[in-house]
Each structure stands twice: as C-alpha cells, then as structure tokens.
C-alpha cells in the first residue's frame, strides 16, 4: 500500500511539474507574441509619425515658398505699374506741353519716380527679410514640436517594452 502511495505521489509531482512547465511555456509564448506585436506596432507608429512629420515639413516649405513668391510677384507688379505710370506721365507731358517739355522738369519727374522705385525696392527687401525670419521661426517651432512628439512616443514605447520585460522576468521567477 505504501508503495502505491509513493508511486501516486511521484506521479502527482511529475504531473504538477509537467503542468508547471507547460504553463511557463504558454506564458513565454504569450510574452513573445506580445513582444512581436508590440514591436510591430511601435515600428508602424514610428513610420506613421515620420511620414506625418515629413508631410508637415513639405507643406510648410511649400507655404513658405508660396509666400515668398507672392511677395516677389507683388513687387514685380508694383514695378510694372510704376513704369506704366511713368510712361503715361511722360506721354501726357509731351502732349500737353506740345513737344519738348522743360528738361529740368523732366529730370525732376524722373528723380521722383526713381525715388519711388528705390523706396519700393527697400520696402520689398525689408518685407522679404521679415517674412523669411518669421518663416524660419515657424520652421524651428515645428521641428521642436516634432522632436517633442517623437520623444513622447519613444518614452511610451519604452514603457510598453519594460512592462513586457517585467512580465517575462516574473514568469521566469514563477518557474523557479
């Protein structure tokens, strides 16, 4: 009878040990699956964030280029308008003053127009410099925000990875 009891005890211990190993292996498999899924998810998040940042930068670059192009076009139109007005004024003066207007008067008109053009040129350069400075600041701000978003994502991913590693460490301790 004792022999049967000992044999039953050995079988029970063996079964418990086998069950414990199988449970450990199942938990290990689950942890490995979680690791793979989490790593895949992290890679997708990272790729999506990088794509989003690239799109933001491209859009911002296009907006900046468009703003500067608009300024240049406005300046060209302004110069063309001033030139047209100059030509009209000279034509008007020639017709109204019947032939040759006073040279001193024409010089005065040309000087005034030249001053207007110089002022417009200076204003245009100043506006372009201001716009460029503002656009550069916007670019720095965007890059700072993108860096912070990336840091936040990496920290969240690190926490998720540490949680899985803790699960694995706890599973190993359960086996021992």
């Amino acid at each position: 009878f004792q022999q049967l009891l000992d044999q039953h005890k050995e079988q029970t211990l063996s079964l418990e040990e086998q069950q414990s190993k199988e449970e450990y292996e199942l938990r290990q498999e689950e942890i490995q699956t979680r690791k793979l899924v989490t790593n895949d998810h992290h890679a997708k998040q990272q790729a999506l964030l990088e794509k989003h940042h690239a799109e933001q930068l491209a859009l911002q670059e296009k907006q900046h280029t468009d703003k500067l192009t608009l300024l240049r076009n406005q300046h060209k139109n302004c110069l063309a308008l001033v030139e047209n007005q100059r030509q009209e004024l000279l034509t008007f003066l020639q017709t109204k003053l019947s032939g040759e207007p006073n040279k001193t008067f024409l010089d005065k008109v040309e000087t005034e127009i030249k001053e207007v053009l110089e002022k417009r040129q200076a204003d245009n350069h100043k506006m372009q410099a201001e716009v460029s400075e503002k656009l550069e600041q916007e670019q720095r701000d965007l890059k700072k925000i993108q860096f912070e978003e990336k840091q936040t994502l990496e920290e969240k991913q690190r926490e998720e990875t540490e949680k899985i590693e803790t699960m694995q460490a706890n599973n190993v301790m359960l086996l021992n």
Side-chain angles (χ1 to χ4, degrees), residues 38 48 60 75 78 80 84 100 129 155:
T38 300
L48 188 61
Q60 187 181 55
H75 182 65
C78 179
N84 285 343
E100 279 299 314
E155 181 60 31

Side-chain angles (χ1 to χ4, degrees), residues 76-91 113 117:
K76 282 181 191 176
N77 291 341
C78 179
L79 293 178
L81 182 62
V82 168
E83 181 58 28
N84 285 343
Q85 289 175 340
R86 183 181 84 73
Q87 290 297 328
E88 288 176 15
L89 178 61
L90 291 176
T91 303
I113 291 173
L117 288 174

